[in-house]
C-alpha cells in the first residue's frame, strides 16, 4: 500500500469537511481500495444553523459521487441525532429509509446520502472511511476467512458477519460494535464486503486504512498468496472480429438493445479465461456484493448466450419472490478460452468499468485460491443485492439513452472537415466512433474511450482490414459506416489529365471505398439494429464541372457503387444512402487564399461566392454531418438507395 498523504497538499485543506474531501480522494485514487463509485466516507461536524441552534451533522458521501473526484458538494449534511435514533428501530424499509435521509438533510439541494449513512452515524468517531480493499475481501472470501481476519488483526478491528448493506447492516453494526469495541479498536471488517477505519482526524483515519490494508497484504505475502505468477504476454495474431460481432449480436438480442463488447487487453485475465480452473473459480459470486449490479452474479464461460440466459432464469426463479421482476438475461462478463476476457455495456464507459472490476476480481480469486480456497457469498445473498431497489436505482439514474447508445460507427477522412464533423455528431449522440485518416493527427484527435483514431491509408486494403480488426476488439462490431475520405485534385482539363493522376483519384475516391465496403459488409450484416452506410458524394455527380474530370467521374462511379450496394445489401437489412454536398468551404481544402482566388475568378466577393446557390446560404461541414448522421438514424429507417443534395439548391440539379 502506498500512503498518499502529503503535508503540503493537505495544508491547503483547512476545514474538517475540506480534509474529508482530501483523504476521500486519496482513497479514490487507489483502485485496489475502491473502484468506480465503491466505498464511502463521512465526517461528523457540529455547526450552528440560521436560528443559532448548535447541531451535530453527519456529512456522508452522496450517491452518484465517486471518491476519486468527490467535492464538498458531494457530502450531503444529515442530522446526526436523527440517524442515531433511526439505528435503534427494529426495522426500516428501504423507501422509508431514503425518505428519512432526505427529509433530515440540512441542504435541500444536496444529493441523496449514501445508503450506509446510518452505519456511518452509528460509528462513534469523527472521521469514518470505508473501502472494499482487494486484500481484505481476498481473505474474507475463503472458507476460514473469519479466523484468518482474527490472525491478521487480533482485536484491533471489530468483525461483523455478512449482512446485506442498508438498514439491517447499520442496525447490526450499531448493536455489535458497541459490545465489541474498546480503546484499541481502529477498524471494522465486514465479512465478504470490506473494511472501515476511523479516527478523530482525517489523517489518522486515512493512515489507519492504509495500515490495515497493508497488514492484509503482508499476511497474504507471508502465506505465499500475494505474488502472482506472471502470465504469458498477449498475442493478438488470429483475427477475431467476426467472432466478436456474432457474439455481440447475440448479447444485444438478449439485452434488448445494442451493446458494446470490449476485448480486454489484460494478459492475466486472458490466461484466467483459458485456464482449467475457470469453470469452477469464476462461477461464484463477486468479490464484494455491490459489484453484482455491474457484473451480474457470474460471468458467461464461452459464447452460448442462450444457455447463459436459461441459467440466469433458473437463478432468478430460485431466489425471487413475487415483487421481483427479472432483469435482462445478457451476461456482462464473458470468459472465452480463445477471446479472453470480454465485457459488455450500454456504452464503452460501462464496459470498461466492468472490465476494471473483473481484472481486480481475477487477482482476488487467484490470491484467495493460493491462500486456501475462493469462496464467495451464496447466490441468495448476491441476488438480494442485485435485486435491491436501491442498487437498481443507481443504474437507472440518467434518463433517456442517446440515439446511438451501444452502437459503433466508422468514418473515413475523419481528421478534419466533414469527416470530423460527422465524428463529433456521432459522439454527441452516444455512438462509439472509429476515425480513419491518413493524417497522423487522427490518433490523438480525442482522448476518450468512445473514440478510436487510426492513421490509415484507405487505399491499402490490409490497413483497412487491420482497422476493422481493431474496431472489433475495441467495441465488438460495426453498425454504421460513413465513407467520406476523398481527394479533389487541382483543376486539369481532359487534354492535360495524365494516367497517374486519374488512377490516383480513382484509387482514393472509388476503389478504396469498394474495398472498405466489401471488408465491412460481414460486420454490418451482424449489426443488432441493422447496418447503415452513408456515402459523402458530390454535386458533381449530377452537375459536373470542367477541369474536374477525374473527381466527377470517380464520384459518379461511387454513386453507382452505392446504388448497386443498396440493391444487393437490402436482403441483409443494410441501408445505404448518399448525400451530395456542394460548396462546403470550412474544410482543409479551402484556405482564405484559394477562396479569394476562386471568387476573383468569377468576379464575385468571397461572401457571394460562398453563397452562390438558390437559397443564398452557406453550407458548413456541420450541416453536412447533421444530414449524414440523420441518415444513419431512425428518420431514414425505411430509406435506402436515396440521394439527397445539400447545396442550398442548385439550378443545374433542381
Ligand atoms: Zn461497502
Amino acid at each position: 500500500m502506498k500512503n498518499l498523504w502529503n503535508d503540503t497538499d493537505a495544508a491547503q485543506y483547512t476545514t474538517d469537511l475540506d480534509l474529508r474531501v482530501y483523504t476521500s480522494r486519496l482513497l479514490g485514487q487507489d483502485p485496489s481500495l475502491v473502484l468506480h463509485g465503491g466505498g464511502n466516507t463521512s465526517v461528523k461536524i457540529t455547526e450552528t444553523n440560521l436560528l443559532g441552534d448548535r447541531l451535530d451533522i453527519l456529512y456522508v458521501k452522496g450517491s452518484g459521487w465517486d471518491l476519486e473526484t468527490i467535492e464538498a458538494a458531494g457530502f450531503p449534511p444529515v442530522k446526526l441525532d436523527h440517524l442515531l435514533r433511526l439505528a435503534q428501530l427494529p426495522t426500516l424499509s428501504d423507501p422509508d429509509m431514503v425518505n428519512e435521509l432526505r427529509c433530515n438533510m440540512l441542504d435541500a439541494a444536496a444529493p441523496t446520502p449514501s445508503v450506509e449513512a446510518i452505519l456511518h452515524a452509528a460509528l462513534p468517531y469523527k472521521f469514518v472511511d470505508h473501502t472494499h480493499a482487494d486484500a481484505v475481501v481476498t481473505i474474507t472470501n475463503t472458507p476460514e476467512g473469519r479466523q484468518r481476519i482474527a490472525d491478521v488483526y487480533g482485536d484491533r478491528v471489530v468483525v461483523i458477519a455478512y449482512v446485506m448493506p442498508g438498514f439491517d447492516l447499520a442496525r447490526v453494526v450499531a448493536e455489535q460494535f458497541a459490545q465489541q469495541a474498546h480503546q484499541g479498536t481502529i477498524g471494522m471488517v465486514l465479512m465478504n464486503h470490506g473494511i472501515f477505519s476511523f479516527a478523530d482526524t482525517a489523517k489518522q483515519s486515512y493512515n489507519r486504512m492504509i495500515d490495515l490494508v497493508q497488514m492484509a497484504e503482508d499476511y497474504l505475502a507471508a502465506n505465499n498468496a500475494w505474488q502472482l505468477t506472471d502470465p504469458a504476454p498477449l498475442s493478438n495474431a488470429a483475427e477475431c472480429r467476426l467472432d466478436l460481432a456474432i457474439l455481440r449480436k447475440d448479447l444485444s438480442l438478449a439485452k434488448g438493445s445494442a451493446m458494446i463488447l470490449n476485448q480486454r487487453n489484460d494478459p492475466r485475465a486472458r490466461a484466467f479465461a483459458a485456464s482449467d480452473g475457470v469453470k469452477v473459480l469464476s462461477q461464484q459470486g463477486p468479490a464484494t456484493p455491490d459489484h453484482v449490479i455491474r457484473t451480474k452474479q457470474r460471468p458467461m464461460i464461452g459464447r452460448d448466450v442462450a444457455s447463459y440466459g436459461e441459467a440466469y432464469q433458473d437463478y432468478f426463479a430460485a431466489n425471487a419472490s413475487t415483487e421481483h421482476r427479472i432483469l435482462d438475461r445478457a451476461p456482462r462478463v464473458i470468459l472465452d478460452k480463445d477471446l479472453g476476457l470480454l465485457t459488455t455495456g450500454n456504452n464503452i464507459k460501462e464496459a470498461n468499468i466492468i472490465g476494471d472490476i473483473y481484472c481486480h476480481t481475477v487477482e482476488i480469486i487467484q490470491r484467495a485460491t493460493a491462500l486456501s480456497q475462493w469462496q464467495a457469498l451464496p447466490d441468495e445473498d448476491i441476488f438480494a443485492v442485485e435485486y435491491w431497489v436501491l442498487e437498481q436505482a443507481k443504474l437507472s439514474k440518467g434518463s433517456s439513452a442517446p440515439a446511438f447508445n451501444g452502437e459503433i460507427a466508422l468514418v473515413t477522412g475523419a481528421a478534419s472537415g466533414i469527416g470530423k464533423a460527422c465524428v463529433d455528431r456521432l459522439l454527441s449522440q452516444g455512438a462509439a466512433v472509429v476515425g480513419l485518416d491518413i493524417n497522423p493527427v487522427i490518433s490523438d484527435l480525442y482522448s476518450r474511450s468512445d473514440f478510436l483514431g487510426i492513421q490509415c491509408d484507405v487505399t491499402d486494403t490490409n490497413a483497412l482490414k487491420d482497422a476493422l480488426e481493431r474496431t472489433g476488439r475495441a467495441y465488438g462490431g460495426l453498425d454504421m459506416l460513413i465513407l467520406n475520405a476523398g481527394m479533389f485534385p487541382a483543376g486539369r482539363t481532359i487534354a492535360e489529365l495524365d494516367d497517374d493522376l486519374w488512377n490516383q483519384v480513382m484509387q482514393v475516391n472509388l476503389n478504396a471505398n469498394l474495398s472498405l465496403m466489401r471488408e465491412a459488409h460481414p460486420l454490418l450484416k451482424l449489426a443488432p439494429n441493422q447496418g447503415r452506410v452513408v456515402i459523402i458524394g458530390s454535386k458533381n455527380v449530377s452537375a459536373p464541372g470542367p477541369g474536374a474530370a477525374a473527381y466527377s467521374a470517380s464520384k459518379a462511379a461511387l454513386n453507382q457503387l452505392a446504388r448497386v450496394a443498396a440493391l444487393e445489401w437490402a436482403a441483409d437489412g443494410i441501408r445505404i444512402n448518399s448525400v451530395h454536398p456542394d460548396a462546403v468551404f470550412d474544410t482543409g481544402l479551402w484556405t482564405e487564399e484559394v477562396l479569394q482566388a476562386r471568387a476573383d475568378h468569377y468576379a464575385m466577393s468571397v461572401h457571394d461566392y460562398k453563397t452562390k446557390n438558390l437559397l443564398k446560404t452557406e453550407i458548413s461541414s456541420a450541416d453536412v454531418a447533421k444530414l449524414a448522421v440523420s441518415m444513419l438514424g431512425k428518420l431514414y429507417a425505411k430509406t435506402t438507395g436515396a440521394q439527397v443534395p445539400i447545396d442550398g439548391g442548385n439550378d443545374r440539379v433542381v
Side-chain angles (χ1 to χ4, degrees):
M1 291 305 301
K2 227 173 144 187
N3 189 318
L4 301 174
W5 179 277
N6 175 304
D7 282 329
T8 319
D9 290 347
Q12 297 165 29
Y13 299 86
T14 47
T15 67
D16 286 336
L17 183 57
D18 285 346
L19 283 160
R20 176 67 287 174
V21 170
Y22 174 61
T23 57
S24 299
R25 288 183 182 177
L26 296 186
L27 295 175
Q29 280 166 36
D30 187 340
S32 76
L33 291 175
V34 291
L35 278 171
H36 302 296
N40 41 56
T41 56
S42 66
V43 58
K44 300 177 183 77
I45 300 173
T46 304
E47 287 178 355
T48 307
N49 71 8
L50 281 176
L51 301 173
D53 302 333
R54 297 287 284 167
L55 281 178
D56 291 330
I57 298 163
L58 176 79
Y59 283 88
V60 62
K61 190 185 99 165
S63 67
W65 286 83
D66 201 306
L67 289 184
E68 189 176 4
T69 50
I70 200 161
E71 294 163 20
F75 288 93
V78 199
K79 289 176 197 153
L80 182 61
D81 290 351
H82 193 80
L83 295 174
L84 291 173
R85 290 182 62 197
L86 289 176
Q88 303 303 317
L89 290 174
T91 58
L92 182 63
S93 73
D94 293 329
D96 284 347
M97 179 174 79
V98 172
N99 187 54
E100 288 297 316
L101 294 178
R102 285 203 64 81
C103 289
N104 285 281
M105 299 198 309
L106 288 108
D107 176 355
T112 300
S114 160
V115 295
E116 307 294 14
I118 300 174
L119 195 165
H120 278 261
L123 293 169
Y125 304 89
K126 190 170 177 68
F127 288 88
V128 175
D129 296 28
H130 168 48
T131 72
H132 302 147
D134 287 358
V136 174
V137 296
T138 301
I139 297 169
T140 63
N141 282 310
T142 58
E144 59 299 307
R146 184 148 190 162
Q147 180 54 49
R148 290 181 183 279
I149 288 296
D151 294 345
V152 177
Y153 296 122
D155 70 348
R156 288 184 193 82
V157 302
V158 165
V159 183
I160 307 282
Y162 180 77
V163 176
M164 183 171 145
F167 178 73
D168 289 345
L169 175 61
R171 193 179 46 78
V172 167
V173 167
E175 212 175 87
Q176 295 187 9
F177 189 85
Q179 290 162 10
Q180 294 183 40
H182 53 82
Q183 280 288 312
T185 302
I186 58 169
M188 175 171 76
V189 169
L190 304 180
M191 293 301 293
N192 308 89
H193 176 160
I195 184 164
F196 282 76
S197 64
F198 25 72
D200 287 338
T201 66
K203 183 179 183 180
Q204 192 176 27
S205 187
Y206 173 76
N207 285 344
R208 284 177 172 174
M209 175 62 72
I210 301 301
D211 293 347
L212 288 168
V213 176
Q214 183 61 54
M215 289 167 77
E217 291 188 0
D218 291 345
Y219 176 84
L220 288 168
N223 286 277
N224 294 320
W226 180 251
Q227 200 59 49
L228 297 170
T229 48
D230 283 335
L234 283 177
S235 130
N236 283 335
E239 285 190 350
C240 62
R241 60 181 178 277
L242 211 54
D243 290 333
L244 289 165
I246 292 167
L247 178 56
R248 171 173 174 258
K249 182 164 190 181
D250 290 346
L251 292 164
S252 300
L253 292 177
K255 174 81 191 322
S257 60
M259 301 279 277
I260 295 291
L261 175 65
N262 174 258
Q263 183 181 46
R264 191 84 181 182
N265 279 320
D266 183 275
R268 181 173 308 287
R270 181 83 59 98
F272 180 71
S275 68
D276 294 335
V278 71
K279 285 201 173 85
V280 176
L281 292 175
S282 71
Q283 296 301 292
Q284 296 192 43
T288 185
D290 82 2
H291 288 172
V292 71
I293 57 164
R294 304 272 191 193
T295 62
K296 289 227 157 154
Q297 100 281 25
R298 56 185 59 124
M300 175 169 83
I301 297 179
R303 304 176 207 175
D304 188 347
V305 178
S307 294
Y308 182 90
E310 283 163 26
Y312 186 79
Q313 174 84 48
D314 292 345
Y315 154 82
F316 178 81
N319 295 287
S321 54
T322 45
E323 81 266 23
H324 294 119
R325 239 189 266 154
I326 191 163
L327 300 168
D328 72 82
R329 296 161 181 78
R332 299 297 188 271
V333 177
I334 296 137
L335 298 163
D336 181 88
K337 64 179 171 49
D338 298 315
L339 299 173
L341 168 62
L342 311 169
T343 59
T344 68
N346 291 313
N347 50 52
I348 185 65
K349 202 173 152 208
E350 216 174 276
N352 283 342
I353 288 175
I354 295 166
D356 291 347
I357 289 175
Y358 206 75
C359 284
H360 278 263
T361 304
V362 169
E363 291 192 349
I364 290 167
I365 290 175
Q366 292 185 334
R367 290 197 172 112
T369 307
L371 182 64
S372 90
Q373 188 192 330
W374 167 244
Q375 183 183 293
L377 286 169
D379 277 358
E380 62 201 76
D381 289 318
I382 297 304
F383 181 89
V385 176
E386 185 178 1
Y387 281 83
W388 186 21
V389 278
L390 300 183
E391 287 289 358
Q392 292 304 322
K394 281 189 198 168
L395 294 182
S396 58
K397 78 173 159 33
S399 49
S400 61
F404 297 123
N405 209 28
E407 295 202 294
I408 304 128
L410 187 146
V411 181
T412 65
S416 60
I418 293 170
K420 181 169 178 292
C422 288
V423 170
D424 293 344
R425 186 117 188 120
L426 284 160
L427 287 172
S428 75
Q429 299 197 14
V433 184
V434 179
L436 307 190
D437 207 292
I438 198 160
N439 186 340
V441 301
I442 191 69
S443 309
D444 302 313
L445 187 63
Y446 295 116
S447 164
R448 45 191 282 178
S449 59
D450 53 0
F451 178 78
L452 174 62
I454 302 176
Q455 188 194 0
C456 175
D457 175 355
V458 290
T459 65
D460 176 350
T461 305
N462 284 330
L464 291 177
K465 286 184 190 176
D466 186 57
L468 290 171
E469 183 68 16
R470 288 179 63 187
T471 303
R473 290 176 192 268
Y475 304 127
L478 184 65
D479 305 280
M480 301 173 277
L481 185 57
I482 295 184
L483 297 174
N484 163 69
M487 61 182 288
F488 187 89
R492 209 172 287 183
T493 63
I494 292 171
E496 309 167 302
L497 184 56
D498 60 77
D499 292 349
D500 283 352
L501 182 62
W502 172 266
N503 287 335
Q504 194 195 354
V505 174
M506 288 296 163
Q507 277 291 336
V508 175
N509 291 2
L510 179 62
N511 301 4
N513 288 317
L514 170 75
S515 303
L516 183 51
M517 284 166 69
R518 183 187 64 230
E519 298 303 326
H521 176 249
L523 298 175
L524 292 169
K525 225 170 121 173
L526 290 163
N529 298 332
Q530 307 199 308
R532 291 89 83 191
V533 182
V534 166
I535 306 256
I536 306 298
S538 169
K539 172 224 63 168
N540 287 36
V541 171
S542 46
Y551 180 79
S552 302
S554 69
K555 286 289 187 181
L558 177 61
N559 198 56
Q560 288 300 81
L561 181 63
R563 295 174 70 196
V564 175
L567 295 169
E568 291 184 0
W569 291 1
D572 301 320
I574 303 169
R575 306 189 272 107
I576 177 160
N577 296 297
S578 300
V579 296
H580 292 311
D582 185 30
V584 180
F585 296 112
D586 61 344
T587 69
L589 298 172
W590 293 91
T591 59
E592 289 299 319
E593 298 77 59
V594 175
L595 259 174
Q596 190 62 58
R598 296 310 296 162
D600 292 348
H601 177 81
Y602 289 99
M604 285 174 158
S605 71
V606 168
H607 174 77
D608 287 349
Y609 178 70
K610 278 176 153 180
T611 57
K612 60 178 177 53
N613 53 52
L614 293 174
L615 295 171
K616 303 283 174 229
T617 185
E618 237 182 275
I619 297 116
S620 68
S621 294
D623 294 328
V624 180
K626 223 182 262 183
L627 176 62
V629 172
S630 292
M631 287 178 139
L632 297 171
K634 289 208 171 92
L635 188 61
Y636 281 77
K638 297 183 179 178
T639 301
T640 192
Q643 302 176 48
V644 181
I646 174 157
D647 55 7
N650 184 310
D651 53 10
R652 292 177 58 204
V653 174
V654 168

